[in-house]
Every structure is written in C-alpha cells, then in structure tokens.
Amino acid sequence: MSAFTVRPLLEGTSLPMLFEASGSSILLSDALPEMRPEIDRHLRTGGGVMFRGFDLDGADAFRAFAGNFGHPLLTYEFGSTPRSQVTKGVYTSTEYPPHQHIPLHNEQAYTRDWPMKIWFYCMQAAPEGGETPIADSRAIFNDVPEAIRQAFVDKGLMYVRNYGNGLDVPWQQVFGTEDRAEVEAYCEKHGITCDWKDDGELRTRQVCQGAARHPVTGEWVWFNQAHLFHVSNLEPEVRESLLDIVEDEEELPRNVLYGDGTPIDDATLDTVRGVLKQHTVIFPWQSGDVIMLDNMLTAHARTPFKGPRKVIVAMAEAHGQH
C-alpha cells in the first residue's frame, strides 16, 4: 500500500496539490523517495505541493527533509525583512507584527539571485488567520495589462534601499557584517550600487528584472516586488508621516523605479495589485503541514492573525541572472 494519496487541496485548482499520509506515524522523510517523482511533476506543472498528516519532528527534521531534495539550503542573504535563524538553513517566517498583511511576492524577486525552491513548515497554526496565500506567477504575468507588462519587461526595475535609522532593517543585519569593505565587495559582485551617507548609513540601488523566464519550463512569470517596495504600498497616513520625516523620496527606507530611473505611478501598481488579488489561492494551515513551492512559478503571502503562530522557512537551489 502506498504511504500517501495525491489530490488537489482545493476544488477547481491544482495549486497546491495535496500529498496526504495514508496512515498514522508515517515519517515524511521515509515517504519522500516514493513521492519524489510525483512531487517533481506537480511542482513543474502546478507550482506547489502540500504535505499533510505525516510525522515531522521539529526544525531539524524539517531541515533534513528540505535538504533531501539535493541542494544545500541557502542562507538569507541581502534580506529585506526581519527574520531569525532557527537552525542552520532554517529561518522564522517574516517577523512582522501579527496585524500586518504581507502581500503576495516571490522570495527575493527584488534581487538578481533567488532560491528556486522554498518550503514552509507550520509548526503551530494560528487559532485565527495567519494563512499563507499563494498565486500562480504565470497567470499573473499573462493577466497584467500588456502595456504594464511590456514596460516591466523592457525597462526592468530599480530598487532603492536606505538602511537603518530606525526606519528599516540595519545594513549590518542585511549583510551579516559590521565591515564596510565586505558590504562593498558583496555589492560589487552582485551589481549593486552602494553609497555611504554622511550619517554613516547606507543606500543601495540595484536594477533587476520585472519579469523572468523559468529556466526549466521556459515560461514567463511575473517576478518582482515593485508593489511591496513602492511608496504606494504604505497606508496614506504612514506615507505622509514618513515623507515628513525623510523630506525627500530618495531617503525613503525603500522605493522602486523603472530600471531607467523614471517613476512608477501609483495607478500602475494598483492595477498590478488587482491582478494579484484575482489570482490569490487561500487555505487554512493545520499544525504539521509543510508546503513546498517552486519560487518562480508561485508567489506567497501572509494574512494577519491572532494568537500564537509558528511557521518556519527553508530555501534551496540558487538561481541568478547576471
């Protein structure tokens, strides 16, 4: 008898496909060899799979499971949000306050290097909210109006970040060092322009893709974080007070322009957000669930929640465009 069954988790969509244990006390790692061919197939076609009902005992077992897919787990380099390391190669999910919504995004799509695979392990499901919505990045690309899509493809995007000053993650945490020379070397290697400001803080600019082709399937995917980095992502009162503090848009903790340095208007990103909303797939977590995504084919998010919640993350298979 097979250790698992496979079916769509939600009616009407194959994202995600559910791999469910056929009995009790089946270790996820033990079932992996039998499941692997189907996992690979469904990841390539649907973009995401969920594992439910298997035994998985904590962060170290999760690390071993993710590591069994054949690629070393990645560190969270050049991060844009606060996270903590749980064990080697395993991190907390983004440590934003529970009341905040984290919009759909592909992991590290604001850079030119990203993981192809990402896993989320729900160690404790929140009693209310705290879902991890997902969406098909191919469908998003196809449904973004052609004029917007073409501008993002042709021009690319320039991400501007100002670190620290109590407004964003300190550069020391983002780059994992106190040494300016190490920061400069990292930036040079990754095509990032860096400037040390008079107050000792750092500003970086990097021109990246607005969309990308998947290296295996050849399909175009919407692959950027413009709608997160753009000033229009802020609530109006937060935007107003931030601009009062920094006085100049160039000093905002983060912003995004087209790759040629021209501004992106709010209406363009409102349109993009509408497409993202249209393609959002949402499901409740159960404690013990693991979801595995092809990070280029599938975007992820987080809903607000109440009560305790613990979801940890691992990433692997580095891919870059240089």
Side-chain angles (χ1 to χ4, degrees):
M1 177 183 167
S2 176
F4 65 97
T5 58
V6 185
R7 62 178 171 84
L9 177 68
L10 303 171
E11 198 174 321
T13 176
S14 59
L15 180 65
M17 288 298 284
L18 175 65
F19 285 66
E20 192 165 23
S22 299
S24 59
S25 304
I26 298 172
L27 290 173
L28 184 53
S29 55
D30 288 351
L32 178 58
E34 186 189 351
M35 292 192 291
R36 183 67 191 272
E38 287 211 58
I39 293 170
D40 291 345
R41 181 166 64 84
H42 286 299
L43 265 189
R44 195 166 54 250
T45 55
V49 297
M50 173 182 271
F51 307 98
R52 175 169 284 173
F54 295 93
D55 279 3
L56 186 67
D57 189 16
D60 288 323
F62 172 59
R63 178 186 65 193
F65 171 70
N68 279 340
F69 283 86
H71 297 274
L73 299 188
L74 301 173
T75 56
Y76 188 53
E77 282 191 339
F78 197 47
S80 69
T81 59
R83 295 177 188 261
S84 305
Q85 184 168 305
V86 178
T87 183
K88 188 177 180 184
V90 176
Y91 296 84
T92 58
S93 52
T94 297
E95 294 171 357
Y96 279 170
H99 69 277
Q100 290 187 6
H101 172 76
I102 300 174
L104 278 168
H105 63 284
N106 305 80
E107 195 65 31
Q108 294 187 299
Y110 57 87
T111 72
R112 298 204 296 234
D113 302 89
W114 55 82
M116 289 297 296
K117 302 287 192 300
I118 186 165
W119 295 261
F120 299 88
Y121 171 28
C122 180
M123 298 181 77
Q124 183 175 14
E128 184 179 332
E131 295 91 355
T132 299
I134 55 180
D136 184 332
S137 300
R138 294 163 291 191
I140 294 164
F141 176 86
N142 291 332
D143 283 356
V144 168
E146 187 178 358
I148 296 175
R149 187 172 65 221
Q150 209 55 51
F152 273 55
V153 169
D154 292 345
K155 297 181 181 180
L157 297 168
M158 180 190 292
Y159 294 94
V160 184
R161 298 178 64 179
N162 289 282
Y163 305 85
N165 276 329
L167 299 175
D168 209 340
V169 188
W171 63 263
Q172 295 90 335
Q173 185 178 333
V174 170
F175 291 93
T177 181
E178 302 272 344
D179 186 339
R180 287 188 178 197
E182 284 187 33
V183 173
E184 291 163 6
Y186 180 93
C187 289
E188 184 175 358
K189 181 181 175 185
H190 292 85
I192 301 167
T193 302
C194 66
D195 299 303
W196 298 103
K197 300 190 287 187
D198 292 341
D199 60 2
E201 293 293 359
L202 176 68
R203 175 185 297 130
T204 61
R205 295 182 183 85
Q206 186 180 31
V207 177
C208 301
Q209 67 292 322
R213 273 189 189 275
H214 193 281
V216 176
T217 71
E219 296 163 294
W220 278 99
V221 296
W222 190 251
F223 199 75
N224 64 76
Q225 291 193 17
H227 60 296
L228 275 81
F229 275 72
H230 195 262
V231 66
S232 62
N233 189 44
L234 300 170
E235 295 292 333
E237 61 273 16
V238 175
R239 179 175 179 168
E240 196 175 318
S241 59
L242 246 187
L243 285 169
D244 282 346
I245 293 167
V246 300
E247 296 180 351
D248 185 341
E249 276 204 8
E250 190 181 41
E251 296 295 330
L252 284 166
R254 57 185 72 183
N255 203 358
V256 64
L257 312 163
Y258 285 116
D260 60 6
T262 55
I264 306 171
D265 61 71
D266 292 9
T268 292
L269 290 165
D270 286 344
T271 299
V272 169
R273 291 183 185 104
V275 176
L276 291 168
K277 184 176 181 181
Q278 177 188 336
H279 287 284
T280 299
V281 174
I282 192 164
F283 53 86
W285 279 118
Q286 292 181 17
S287 296
D289 284 349
V290 173
I291 192 161
M292 178 182 182
L293 304 177
D294 180 306
N295 182 45
M296 288 189 73
L297 297 181
T298 306
H300 62 273
R302 190 202 75 185
T303 65
F305 63 94
K306 293 181 179 175
R309 175 187 189 268
K310 187 170 187 182
V311 175
I312 59 177
V313 181
M315 302 170 285
E317 198 175 340
H319 180 74
Q321 295 193 335
H322 292 289

